[in-house]
Amino acid sequence: MATIYVDGKTYEVNPNNNLLHECLQKGIDIPYFCWHPAMGSVGSCRQCAVKQYKDENDTTGQIVMSCMVPAADGTRISVDDEEAVEFRRSVIEWLMTNHPHDCPICDEGGECHLQDMTVMAGHNYRRFRFKKKTYINQYLGPLINHEMNRCIQCYRCVRFYKDYAHGDDLDVFGAHNHIYFGRHEDGVLENEFSGNLVEVCPTGVFTDKTLKEHYTRKWDMTTAPSICTHCGVGCNTIGAERYGSVRRILNRYNGQVNGYFLCDRGRYGYDYVNSEDRIRTPMMRQENGELESASKELVLNTLKEALKSKKNIIGIGSPRASVESNYALKKFVGSDRYYTGLSDTESKLVDKIIGILKNAPVRSPSLKDIRESDAVFILGEDVTNTAPMMALALRQSIRQEPLKLVDMLKIPRWHEYAVQDTLQQRKGPFFIASVTGTKLDDIATRTYRAESDDIARLGFAVAHILNKDAPAVKKLNKEVKQLAEVIAGALKKAERPVIVSGTSLGNEVIVHAAANVAAALSKEDRRTNLSYIVPEANTMGVGLLGGGSIGDAIRGVKDKKADTLIIFENDLYRRANKSNVDSFLKHFKHIIVVDYMQHTTTQRATAVLPAGTFGETDGTFVNYEGRAQRYFQVYYPEQEIKESWRWLRDATLQAGHNDFKEWQNLDAVVGAINREVAAFRKINEAAPNSRFRIAGLKMSRASARYSGRTSIRSHENVHEQKPPDDPDSPFTFTMEGYSGIKPPGLTNLFWAPRWNSVQALTRFQEEIDGPLRGGDPGVRLIEPAQRFSFSYFTDVPAAFEKRNDEFYTVPLHHIFGSDELSIKAPWIGELAPKPYVLLNKEDAGVKEYNEGDEVEVQLSSGTWKLPVKISDSIPAGVIGIPAGLPGLETAILPGWSTISK
Amino acid sequence: MVSLLKSLWYVFLHMFQKRVTVQYPEEKNYLPPRWRGRIVLTRDPDGEERCVACYLCSVACPVDCIALAATEEEDGRRYPDFFRINFSRCIYCGYCEEACPTYAIQLIPDFEMAEYNRQNMVYEKEHLLINGEGKYHGYNFYKYAGLELKNKGKGEGENEAPPVDPKSLMP
Ligand code: SF4
Ligand code: SF4
Ligand code: SF4
Ligand code: SF4
Ligand code: FES
C-alpha cells in the first residue's frame, strides 16, 4: 500500500498501478482514451493529464499523463488544477477539430466514450472553422461497420487486435495527420475476436453492424444478465431487446471468466432467437398428418392420455437446456428413464472428465487462471474453434513466462510499450498436439500433428517422463520421444502450467493422457490446472446431473415398454445415427418435443411445445470449469413461450400428477435441485433468488431513461396495460425498480453518472481488472477433493495405423458453422465455410484426387458428396469433415469411412 | 368605504377597455409560430424526410409518448420505420423539438385535436409527416453529417476536405 495525495485528499493505493488506474478506482473522474485495463498504458492520447507536484512545498508542479506515472508512495497530484483542466479541455478540442457532425446517426451515440469525455473535459463550443478531414470507409465483413471519419487516433483498436488478439489484418496506415485504421484493403476481418473492437474503440468508428439492422439506442433496450449459449466456456453476456426481438449481445465483465471480451460467435450468434425457424406456438399433429398450431389448452388436454402413466414415458434432456429443465424431466420420468441427450461419445467423455476433475490431483481452471498460466500443453483441441474465448485467454499466457524478465528489470507491467520492448519476440512455452493445423499455431513453441491415438501417446509419454509411476509408451519413435522430453522439461520448469484437452475429437484416451500429464505434474502443495473443453453451454450441467446417453435410450427402448417420449430442446439426429433414431422414434405413439427451434426431430413429433431461449427464460448453465451461472430472461415474449420445466409442470398437472404442484417459480426448482442432487449443493449461490430486493425494490430491466413507455403499445390499445410480473427473478420488465449498481450476478447495464459508455465498468469493479463488487458471479460446483483417489490411466493406445481402404474420419470444428444455434444468424451463416473433406496430400495423390474434386464419403451415419481440400498437415490415413455445418449435421464423428469418386 | 368605491370605479372603467375574449370557434385567436401545439414531422429542402431516427426526441419526452424504430435506405440513410406519438399523453412541453438535431420534429400552433375516442389520439408517421419544412427553412442535416450517401460522397458535404490518402507522405 502506498499513500498518494490528490487535490489535498489522502488515498491508500496500490503502488503497482498507475495514477489513472488508482484515481478511477477511488471514484475520481479523469478523462482518458488510450488506457485500457487489459491492455495497459501507452500515453498516446494525452487526455489523462493531471498536475504533479514534487512535494508539499511545490506550488508550480508539472503536467504529467496520469496513466504513465506510477502511483508511488507520496505522489502528489491535482486533477482540478486550472492548468490541468485547461490542458485536458484543449486536448479534446484538438481531437474534435475534424470530428464529423454525426452523433444523431452514429451508433455509438448515447454510449460514446468520446461524448462522455468531451463533456467531462468541458469542451462545449466548436471554434475550428476550417474544412474537416474525411476518410474513405472500408468493407470489413458482415459483423463490423467502419466509419473512419470518427477516429480520434487513440490506437486502442490496433492494440487490441494486434497485441492482444494477435490478429494481423488490421493496422494503422499512413503518416502524421493522415493515419488510417483499417485493413490493407477491403475485406472481412479475419480475427475471431474482431467484435470486441465495437467495445474497445471509444468512438463510432467500429460499430456492431448487426445492431444497425434494427438499430436501438442503449437507453432504449431492455437488458438482462445472460450466459452465452454457443459453447462450453459460458462467457457472461448482456442480452438486449426492443420491440420483441433481441437486438444485440454485449460483454458482461466477469473477472474469472471472459473479462472484457467475447468471441464473435458469442457476440453475433444471438439472431437465432429472432429466427424464422423459431417455434412460437404449441403445435399438434392433425388427422392429415400435418403439424399445425393449436391452442395451449387443446394440446395439454390431448397430452393427458400420453402422460397418464409415468411408467410409459421416456425423457431425453439436452446439453442446451438448463439444469432446471433437465432436472424436472429427470425427476418426472425417473432416473432410469431419463437420458441426458448427449451422444454416446460425448456422454462417455463427460463422465470421465467429471470423474477426473473430482478425484484426480488436478484443478479445473477459470479463464483467468488460464490467462495467467506460464506454460501450455494442448492435446487434440483446436481451441479457437471449440472454445474461442479460451483461445484468447491462452494467447495471453505466452507473456507470463517472459514477464519475469520485466519484473526483474522493475518495469511496471502496465507500461505496455516498455513491456513490449523488453519482451521482444519472447514467448512462453506453448505446445499443441492436434490432428491438423490450428489457429493457435502462430504462438506455439512446437506443434505436433498426428491422429488422435498418437496425440494421446505423446501425452502418455510426457506424463511418464514427469513421473515414472505413469505408464510408459511402447514403440515410441525417436522424434516423438524427443518432443515429449522438451514438453516435459518446459512443464516442469513452469510455476503455473495448464493442460488443455477436451471432447472435440471424441477420443477417450486423449482425455486420459491429459489427466496423466496433469497429475504427474502436480505436487503436494500445487495442483496442476487441467482444462477440458466441452461442446455446449450446459454439457457439464447434464453430465453432473447424470443419466444415460441417447444411444442408451435407443438400445434400451425395447425393454422399457414405453409409448411416450418427451424430448427437451434436442435434435436427436445430430447425435445418433439417422437410421437408429428413425427406428427408435417408431416405438412411440406420442413424441412430445419441447424446443425453440424447428429441426428434424420436431418434424417427427406428435406434439410440439414452444420452449424459450436465453431471451425468454431463466435458468442455470454449468460451464467447462464446473461453474454454475444463472441467465435471466431478457424480455417478455408476445406468445406463450415458457421454460421447458414449466411446460412439463403444466402438462403433468393437467394429466393429474402432483409432482410439481409446488413449483410456482424458478426458486422452487432450484431449491429442489439444491436439496436432492449432491453435485448441485451450491447451485442456489449462482445468483440471488427472486425475493432479492434493494431498498424494497425489484431490479429494473429497462434503463432509467427507457423511452416510449406510453406509446410502444398505444396503437393496439391506448389504455396502458399493467406490465407483466416476473415470478422467477428479482427483475421487473420495466424501468420501475432499482437501477443503481446491482449485485454482480444481476448486472444488466454498465452505466454510471457521467459514464454512459461501457467504460462505466470501472465503477462496478471491486478492483479495476479484478473482481466485480461483491465478487465475480457464478459458483464452482467442482472443487478438487481434499484427498484424492487417483491411479494413472494405463490404457496407452497402440500407434495409429492407416488402413488401405478406409479413412479415420475426425470432426473439424469451426467457430462459425459448427454450433447448432449461432449458424441461424444470417451473418454467421455468411462466414461459415462450405462443406468439404480434408485429405492428406499423399492420400490424395494415391487416389488421384485434385483440390475441389467432388467425392463421396461414406460413414456409418450416411453418405455425403463433398469437395476435396488437400492439406499437408492432416496425417495420412485420416480425413476431416467440418462438424455440424448445415448439411453435415447428421454425420456422427469420429468413425471410419470410405471415399470414392 | 373608500376602497369599495375605488373598486367600483375600476370596474366601471373596464367597460371602455378593448375586448380580449374572442368568439371561438367562429373567430380564431392569433397564435405565434412558436406556440406549442400539435406535433409534425417535416421534410428537408429536397423533400426528403428530415427525421434520422436518432431517438433523441423519444428520450427527451418526459411522458415517454414517442416511440419509433430506425431503419435504413440501401445507401445507409437512416429514417424512422414507424413513428408514433400518443397525443393523449403528450403534454406539449416541446422538449422533443428542443432535442431534435435535425429540425424534423416541430410543434405548431394548432391545438384543435380533441377526439371523442381516445384511441384516435394515437398518431402514426403518416399522420405526422407534412410536405414542408415547417418553421425552420433550409436545413438539411445530411449535408453536414460525415456519412456517405447515394448522391454525396466522402468529402462532398459542407465544410469537408476531400478524403485523405493514407498512402501519401506529403505533409
Ligand atoms: S463517435 Fe461519439 S462523438 Fe463521434 S459522432 Fe459518434 S456518438 Fe458522436
Ligand atoms: S478507430 Fe477507434 S480505437 Fe482505433 S484509433 Fe480510432 S478511435 Fe481509437
Ligand atoms: S467463447 Fe463460447 S461462451 Fe464465450 S462468447 Fe464465444 S461462444 Fe460464447
Ligand atoms: S429527435 Fe428529430 S431526428 Fe431524432 S428521432 Fe426525433 S424527430 Fe427524428
Ligand atoms: S489515457 Fe493517458 S495518455 Fe491516453
Side-chain angles (χ1 to χ4, degrees):
Chain A
M1 277 292 146
T3 310
I4 64 166
Y5 307 91
V6 184
D7 288 312
K9 284 203 195 108
T10 316
Y11 297 92
E12 292 295 314
V13 300
N14 177 353
N16 295 329
N17 292 329
N18 59 62
L19 283 174
L20 176 61
H21 182 133
E22 284 302 327
C23 286
L24 291 169
Q25 177 94 62
K26 302 287 176 221
I28 304 166
D29 288 348
I30 302 179
Y32 65 87
F33 288 112
C34 61
W35 171 78
H36 188 290
M39 296 184 278
S41 314
V42 292
S44 79
C45 73
R46 320 313 281 171
Q47 188 58 64
C48 65
V50 297
K51 200 162 235 185
Q52 186 178 13
Y53 303 94
K54 276 206 291 288
D55 48 46
E56 62 253 68
N57 301 322
D58 180 5
T59 49
T60 329
Q62 56 169 343
I63 298 246
V64 295
M65 295 307 127
S66 60
C67 70
M68 298 301 282
V69 180
D73 200 22
T75 308
R76 282 165 196 280
I77 55 167
S78 167
V79 179
D80 298 339
D81 174 79
E82 237 170 77
E83 243 177 27
V85 170
E86 178 52 26
F87 185 97
R88 295 196 296 262
R89 196 201 57 74
S90 63
V91 166
I92 203 137
E93 182 168 11
W94 277 110
L95 290 179
M96 292 301 255
T97 50
N98 288 297
H99 206 74
H101 187 59
D102 270 3
C103 293
I105 44 165
C106 175
D107 289 4
E108 198 82 356
E111 51 184 317
C112 175
H113 188 57
L114 178 58
Q115 283 179 332
D116 288 353
M117 294 303 103
T118 310
V119 174
M120 194 180 283
H123 168 54
N124 301 324
Y125 290 97
R126 186 185 188 80
R127 291 187 293 168
F128 186 75
R129 291 277 171 265
F130 303 97
K131 285 193 184 309
K132 289 180 185 179
K133 257 186 303 191
T134 58
Y135 300 81
I136 302 285
N137 299 330
Q138 286 181 328
Y139 168 77
L140 299 178
L143 307 181
I144 299 213
N145 193 57
H146 190 225
E147 188 60 49
M148 197 30 219
N149 281 358
R150 299 169 187 156
C151 177
I152 54 158
Q153 294 85 32
C154 70
Y155 282 73
R156 266 184 165 197
C157 50
V158 287
R159 289 179 52 222
F160 169 76
Y161 200 88
K162 287 171 60 187
D163 301 348
Y164 196 90
H166 303 158
D168 55 9
D169 63 329
L170 181 92
D171 217 324
V172 47
F173 301 92
H176 47 80
N177 67 345
H178 283 172
I179 58 172
Y180 187 91
F181 295 83
R183 294 184 87 247
H184 66 294
E185 61 182 18
D186 283 28
V188 181
L189 281 174
E190 283 161 13
N191 195 276
E192 295 78 14
F193 307 97
S194 63
N196 294 301
L197 291 175
V198 171
E199 290 187 52
V200 164
C201 174
T203 73
V205 176
F206 298 108
T207 50
D208 184 336
K209 208 177 206 171
T210 71
L211 173 65
K212 218 166 132 63
E213 307 241 321
H214 38 218
Y215 184 67
T216 310
R217 296 248 181 246
K218 179 178 183 178
W219 60 67
D220 273 347
M221 288 190 251
T222 300
T223 53
S226 196
I227 301 295
C228 178
T229 52
H230 303 297
C231 86
V233 174
C235 295
N236 291 199
T237 57
I238 294 174
E241 172 268 1
R242 177 89 180 178
Y243 300 132
S245 69
V246 172
R247 304 261 151 151
R248 71 160 165 196
I249 292 292
L250 274 185
N251 174 265
R252 178 162 63 95
Y253 181 89
N254 182 329
Q256 288 294 328
V257 189
N258 46 313
Y260 295 88
F261 308 114
L262 290 178
C263 81
D264 288 357
R265 184 199 270 183
R267 185 181 299 272
Y268 294 109
Y270 66 89
D271 208 45
Y272 73 94
V273 175
N274 309 325
S275 146
E276 300 270 294
D277 295 344
R278 274 299 293 277
I279 298 165
R280 293 179 187 277
T281 52
M283 291 191 282
M284 234 171 46
R285 196 158 301 278
Q286 310 293 333
E287 304 268 303
N288 59 9
E290 293 294 313
L291 208 53
E292 274 167 28
S293 293
S295 77
K296 169 187 141 196
E297 290 71 28
L298 187 72
V299 177
L300 291 189
N301 218 6
T302 345
L303 290 184
K304 258 182 174 167
E305 186 222 340
L307 297 176
K308 203 165 358 165
S309 162
K310 285 194 205 175
K311 292 214 181 69
N312 285 333
I313 307 176
I314 280 183
I316 296 184
S318 164
R320 62 177 161 85
S322 66
V323 173
E324 290 80 358
S325 292
N326 277 293
Y327 167 75
L329 186 58
K330 184 173 180 178
K331 188 170 162 68
F332 180 67
V333 299
S335 303
D336 56 331
R337 294 168 169 276
Y338 164 81
Y339 300 90
T340 57
L342 295 175
S343 73
D344 278 358
T345 328
E346 264 170 14
S347 180
K348 190 170 67 187
L349 295 186
V350 170
D351 285 350
K352 272 273 143 57
I353 287 171
I354 292 174
I356 292 168
L357 294 182
K358 275 186 177 162
N359 302 319
V362 298
R363 184 179 169 278
S364 167
S366 67
L367 285 195
K368 178 172 193 275
D369 299 327
I370 293 178
R371 286 193 284 273
E372 290 169 358
S373 302
D374 58 355
V376 177
F377 181 24
I378 302 172
L379 287 120
E381 290 286 317
D382 180 0
V383 187
T384 315
N385 285 315
T386 54
M389 277 302 289
M390 193 186 288
L392 190 62
L394 286 167
R395 285 189 176 277
Q396 311 318 310
S397 73
I398 57 163
R399 263 192 171 201
Q400 293 301 322
E401 202 268 333
L403 270 177
K404 287 177 192 149
L405 183 62
V406 172
D407 294 344
M408 210 176 72
L409 295 172
K410 300 215 161 54
I411 296 168
R413 286 191 177 194
W414 48 261
H415 207 310
E416 181 58 26
Y417 284 162
V419 169
Q420 280 182 23
D421 284 345
T422 315
L423 298 185
Q424 302 286 342
Q425 296 304 315
R426 289 191 185 85
K427 288 184 196 123
F430 199 102
F431 301 94
I432 306 174
S434 60
V435 174
T436 176
T438 77
K439 292 211 170 147
L440 285 175
D441 290 355
D442 58 315
I443 55 166
T445 321
R446 296 273 297 271
T447 59
Y448 173 61
R449 304 273 175 263
E451 188 282 324
S452 29
D453 279 356
D454 286 345
I455 295 174
R457 282 167 64 82
L458 173 68
F460 279 114
V462 172
H464 180 68
I465 297 167
L466 289 168
N467 188 331
K468 294 291 174 257
D469 294 344
V473 181
K474 292 194 196 91
K475 295 198 200 138
L476 202 63
N477 75 35
K478 222 170 94 202
E479 269 161 53
V480 183
K481 212 179 226 158
Q482 202 190 11
L483 178 61
E485 292 283 353
V486 175
I487 298 175
L491 291 177
K492 211 170 193 169
K493 269 217 317 251
E495 284 165 25
R496 299 176 302 276
V498 63
I499 314 299
V500 177
S501 181
T503 60
S504 76
L505 285 176
N507 187 307
E508 194 179 0
V509 279
I510 292 190
V511 169
H512 292 171
N516 274 13
V517 177
L521 263 181
S522 287
K523 302 201 190 80
E524 280 296 310
D525 55 340
R526 194 201 68 197
R527 294 188 182 188
T528 312
N529 282 333
L530 169 60
S531 188
Y532 286 116
I533 295 169
V534 294
E536 279 161 281
N538 201 24
T539 305
M540 284 300 249
V542 285
L544 285 171
L545 200 59
S549 67
I550 291 183
D552 294 334
I554 293 175
R555 287 183 292 271
V557 69
K558 284 201 200 74
D559 324 324
K560 290 236 157 78
K561 274 212 235 102
D563 67 351
T564 299
L565 176 66
I566 307 178
I567 303 174
F568 272 9
E569 306 174 35
N570 204 335
D571 179 6
L572 306 187
Y573 287 92
R574 290 181 78 99
R575 303 180 201 259
N577 276 0
K578 184 172 179 302
S579 52
N580 295 351
V581 178
D582 278 340
S583 59
F584 172 64
L585 295 181
K586 284 205 187 98
H587 280 94
F588 300 97
K589 202 163 125 216
H590 310 280
I591 301 170
I592 307 163
V593 183
V594 191
D595 207 338
Y596 40 82
M597 299 298 274
Q598 288 178 25
H599 44 66
T600 328
T601 311
T602 56
Q603 283 160 18
R604 301 287 311 274
T606 53
V608 177
L609 293 167
T613 64
F614 73 90
E616 301 95 8
T617 59
D618 314 73
T620 311
F621 287 150
V622 184
N623 78 350
Y624 78 93
E625 179 197 346
R627 180 181 292 269
Q629 308 189 99
R630 183 77 43 81
Y631 60 95
F632 290 95
Q633 183 171 0
V634 179
Y635 70 107
Y636 192 82
E638 298 258 309
Q639 302 88 352
E640 193 134 23
I641 291 174
K642 292 194 232 184
E643 292 83 0
S644 301
W645 65 260
R646 265 215 166 87
W647 279 119
L648 186 68
R649 183 201 64 183
D650 292 356
T652 54
L653 266 180
Q654 189 108 342
H657 301 285
N658 284 335
D659 303 45
F660 304 137
K661 210 167 156 201
E662 310 296 315
W663 286 9
Q664 296 305 330
N665 65 6
L666 187 76
D667 292 346
V669 194
V670 171
I673 301 174
N674 187 30
R675 280 192 306 277
E676 289 172 26
V677 193
F680 289 98
R681 281 282 178 267
K682 289 202 247 167
I683 190 173
N684 53 338
E685 293 168 29
N689 66 20
S690 70
R691 292 187 309 279
F692 179 83
R693 299 286 183 276
I694 293 180
L697 295 170
K698 280 194 140 198
M699 314 292 112
S700 60
R701 274 192 178 84
S703 85
R705 266 322 296 144
Y706 190 79
S707 79
R709 189 173 37 99
T710 61
S711 58
I712 290 179
R713 303 190 156 271
S714 62
H715 59 306
E716 290 160 4
N717 185 354
V718 74
H719 303 283
E720 277 128 39
Q721 305 296 312
K722 176 177 176 291
D725 283 330
D726 183 354
D728 293 330
S729 81
F731 284 101
T732 64
F733 283 106
T734 61
M735 65 222 259
E736 272 81 24
Y738 181 77
S739 61
I741 292 186
K742 295 161 190 160
L746 300 180
T747 308
N748 64 334
L749 178 74
F750 290 114
W751 182 91
R754 311 233 280 171
W755 299 85
N756 295 295
S757 76
V758 282
Q759 315 292 332
L761 175 55
T762 55
R763 295 286 182 264
F764 291 72
Q765 290 163 318
E766 188 94 46
E767 247 172 80
I768 291 176
D769 209 22
L772 287 169
R773 282 198 205 173
D776 284 321
V779 55
R780 278 169 62 98
L781 299 181
I782 307 177
E783 283 299 351
Q786 288 299 320
R787 258 178 293 132
F788 45 80
S789 58
F790 180 75
S791 42
Y792 286 100
F793 291 101
T794 54
D795 49 353
V796 184
F800 173 72
E801 270 181 54
K802 62 179 284 195
R803 297 186 187 168
N804 280 336
D805 45 347
E806 280 188 320
F807 290 91
Y808 188 65
T809 312
V810 295
L812 301 176
H813 295 263
H814 289 275
I815 177 168
F816 304 126
S818 294
D819 167 48
E820 183 182 359
L821 302 173
S822 57
I823 188 77
K824 301 276 178 187
W827 34 82
I828 299 283
E830 194 181 325
L831 294 172
K834 298 272 163 301
Y836 63 87
V837 49
L838 193 71
L839 203 65
N840 178 278
K841 215 165 154 188
E842 213 177 285
D843 293 334
V846 174
K847 289 240 173 203
E848 294 180 359
Y849 293 159
N850 294 317
E851 181 94 13
D853 285 0
E854 190 116 314
V855 297
E856 220 174 62
V857 180
Q858 197 162 10
L859 273 154
S860 69
S861 46
T863 306
W864 285 269
K865 265 207 156 70
L866 300 168
V868 169
K869 246 193 189 177
I870 296 175
S871 144
D872 288 334
S873 66
I874 195 162
V878 181
I879 61 170
I881 288 183
L885 288 195
L888 287 171
E889 304 98 331
T890 53
I892 305 301
L893 299 168
W896 291 91
S897 67
T898 56
I899 313 184
S900 55
K901 216 163 180 177
Chain B
M1 185 64 192
V2 182
S3 74
L4 208 69
L5 287 176
K6 220 163 134 189
S7 306
L8 277 170
W9 175 242
Y10 279 132
V11 173
F12 177 75
L13 274 188
H14 258 284
M15 287 170 46
F16 305 102
Q17 299 263 310
K18 187 172 163 254
R19 295 217 168 153
V20 286
T21 311
V22 296
Q23 291 305 311
Y24 180 83
E26 287 76 31
E27 211 180 311
K28 296 218 158 115
N29 217 343
Y30 168 74
L31 294 178
R34 281 179 21 180
W35 203 87
R36 300 195 308 264
R38 177 164 64 90
I39 299 173
V40 293
L41 288 174
T42 61
R43 294 177 184 273
D44 66 25
D46 302 335
E48 302 266 11
E49 256 176 73
R50 254 180 181 156
C51 175
V52 300
C54 70
Y55 297 98
L56 289 180
C57 49
S58 64
V59 73
C61 176
V63 292
D64 291 342
C65 73
I66 306 178
L68 68 148
T71 184
E72 273 171 21
E73 305 270 12
E74 220 154 88
D75 63 346
R77 187 186 166 112
R78 194 165 272 175
Y79 68 97
D81 182 26
F82 72 82
F83 197 111
R84 181 181 312 127
I85 302 184
N86 177 355
F87 280 113
S88 77
R89 284 288 186 179
C90 178
I91 55 168
Y92 303 92
C93 62
Y95 281 12
C96 51
E97 176 169 358
E98 223 171 278
C100 181
T102 67
Y103 290 142
I105 197 165
Q106 299 180 13
L107 279 76
I108 57 166
D110 170 23
F111 56 87
E112 292 164 322
M113 306 175 67
E115 297 278 353
Y116 285 109
N117 182 352
R118 213 178 126 199
Q119 189 65 46
N120 296 340
M121 299 288 278
V122 177
Y123 282 40
E124 297 289 339
K125 190 164 106 179
E126 72 230 53
H127 311 120
L128 296 165
L129 190 62
I130 62 165
N131 265 335
E133 296 174 57
K135 295 181 277 187
Y136 307 104
H137 294 264
Y139 188 67
N140 186 339
F141 171 81
Y142 279 112
K143 283 219 157 67
Y144 295 87
L147 208 68
E148 187 178 347
L149 292 174
K150 194 165 57 210
N151 36 28
K152 179 194 135 206
K154 283 274 163 168
E156 290 171 10
E158 289 292 323
N159 213 17
E160 279 184 354
V164 159
D165 174 9
K167 297 209 175 93
S168 152
L169 291 174
M170 298 302 282

